[in-house]
Amino acid sequence: MTIKDTPEEWEVRATETPFRGKKTSVRTDDVVMPDGSVVTRDYQVHPGSVAVLALDDTGQVLVIRQYRHPVREKLWEIPAGLLDVPGENPLHAAQRELYEEAHVKAGDWRVLTDVYTSPGGCDEAVRVFLARGLSEAEGERFAAEDEESDMELTRVPVAELARGVLAGDLHNSCLVVGVLSLVAAQAGDGLDALRPAEAPWPARPFEV
């Protein structure tokens, strides 16, 4: 048996959108189950996101610390952001986020992993990139606002982040998935064997 997620779509008898927010909405579907019964499923509709695990030549990862109101904590994270435009190239979005949040550019980009953040209640798909060959970006820094105006930025060794994840000290999903995927890639076929930056992404199709 091949261990691989596969597309499938069960019949939806009715659907409505009881809430629409600035970036996301909530949808209610009446879904037909395998036994013929119909159940209601509520979930958040999300445009998708990108995240960047930026690894420098010394083996340190660029991380940011930002307040997250829903969980009432300041979390250590990797640069990330929404796919603001439908069909937007995720690599371009990732490059933008790395520039805006860290004022950094990268010479080598790979796909580290793709993940659904909470598929039982949200359709958000995230593509996590590995960025290497880091250097300071040209021009003025992006003007931060709201939560980002209080953001901290530093670099931390991969091993220290991995220990923090396993100790339960670090909780941001993109950081957790990105760091553990990096460790797995390093222990496996190596970082150069990762998918190219423009690899297809069925969850959020885009044009190269």
Side-chain angles (χ1 to χ4, degrees):
M1 185 175 74
T2 301
I3 304 299
K4 182 178 180 179
D5 297 336
T6 56
E8 185 165 343
E9 188 168 352
W10 293 359
E11 180 186 354
V12 176
R13 290 279 174 85
T15 186
E16 61 177 323
T17 305
F19 169 79
R20 294 182 186 274
K22 183 178 180 180
K23 296 290 185 180
T24 67
S25 59
V26 173
R27 184 175 295 163
T28 299
D29 289 345
D30 292 337
V31 186
V32 180
M33 297 289 105
D35 64 359
S37 62
V38 179
V39 302
T40 299
R41 293 289 179 261
D42 301 317
Y43 59 99
Q44 183 184 20
V45 179
H46 194 285
S49 307
V50 293
V52 184
L53 193 147
L55 181 67
D56 69 20
D57 294 338
T58 69
Q60 296 191 103
V61 175
L62 191 155
V63 292
I64 58 179
R65 188 168 182 245
Q66 185 172 347
Y67 175 67
R68 293 301 188 182
H69 186 70
V71 297
R72 307 301 199 273
E73 289 189 22
K74 271 192 169 182
L75 300 181
W76 286 105
E77 308 180 349
I78 56 177
L82 297 176
L83 291 167
D84 293 312
V85 181
E88 182 178 14
N89 187 307
L91 173 60
H92 299 166
Q95 291 169 333
R96 179 185 68 236
E97 293 300 330
L98 185 60
Y99 164 75
E100 290 183 356
E101 295 191 354
H103 200 66
V104 165
K105 62 182 181 180
D108 184 271
W109 290 82
R110 307 289 173 114
V111 174
L112 189 53
T113 191
D114 299 322
V115 63
Y116 292 117
T117 54
S118 183
C122 180
D123 72 351
E124 181 183 15
V126 181
R127 169 155 280 189
V128 183
F129 288 91
L130 172 67
R132 294 180 292 173
L134 307 184
S135 61
E136 190 81 1
E138 294 89 2
E140 296 183 5
R141 287 186 173 272
F142 183 76
E145 57 185 21
D146 300 329
E147 289 91 344
E148 293 183 354
S149 63
D150 187 49
M151 199 162 59
E152 301 171 49
L153 176 68
T154 192
R155 300 188 185 200
V156 180
V158 174
E160 184 176 337
L161 292 174
R163 283 193 295 270
V165 169
L166 298 179
D169 296 331
L170 301 171
H171 306 92
N172 175 265
S173 59
C174 290
L175 183 146
V176 170
V177 170
V179 167
L180 297 185
S181 295
L182 176 67
V183 172
Q186 290 174 326
D189 295 331
L191 302 185
D192 290 335
L194 291 169
R195 287 174 290 163
E198 300 279 11
W201 189 18
R204 293 292 185 273
F206 63 93
E207 293 184 6
V208 176

